[in-house]
Amino acid sequence: MEENNTPNPAAAKPALPDRLSADPSSKFHVAEIFQHDIGIRFNGKDRRDVEEYCISEGWVSVPSGKTVDRKGNPVMIKLKGAVEAFYR
């Protein structure tokens, strides 16, 4: 009997959570997930600027242009709509 030693890429990827943040200081940040390329579809369009999302509540958090706060962090705005997370 021959064994198949090729890794299954779908099995190696962890399941995407309901809420995920790109900020390492957030309690919703999961470092293992960011080892893979993640896609976010918001209201039918692919977005690459999403910093945080919540599928069950239906919102994404994105930077507001080039505006920064006094600490130099981008000012975030919350957009509501249909959110879908997937691996690219």
Side-chain angles (χ1 to χ4, degrees):
M1 187 155 87
E2 204 173 295
E3 286 187 37
N4 186 359
N5 290 332
T6 59
N8 185 356
K13 296 179 182 176
L16 290 170
D18 176 58
R19 185 170 177 176
L20 184 65
S21 176
D23 182 14
S25 64
S26 171
K27 68 178 183 178
F28 297 108
H29 180 79
V30 182
E32 296 83 34
I33 291 179
F34 288 103
Q35 295 175 353
H36 308 285
D37 193 19
I38 300 169
I40 303 294
R41 189 169 293 120
F42 180 69
N43 288 338
K45 293 184 179 180
D46 286 347
R47 302 275 314 235
R48 292 196 172 262
D49 60 346
V50 175
E51 292 292 320
E52 186 173 1
Y53 73 80
C54 184
I55 296 172
S56 63
E57 295 176 11
W59 58 263
V60 295
S61 181
V62 296
S64 175
K66 295 183 179 182
T67 309
V68 294
D69 64 8
R70 62 183 172 185
K71 295 181 181 179
N73 300 320
V75 174
M76 306 304 284
I77 58 172
K78 191 180 283 188
L79 304 173
K80 295 189 177 208
V83 180
E84 178 186 348
F86 58 93
Y87 286 111
R88 292 186 192 272

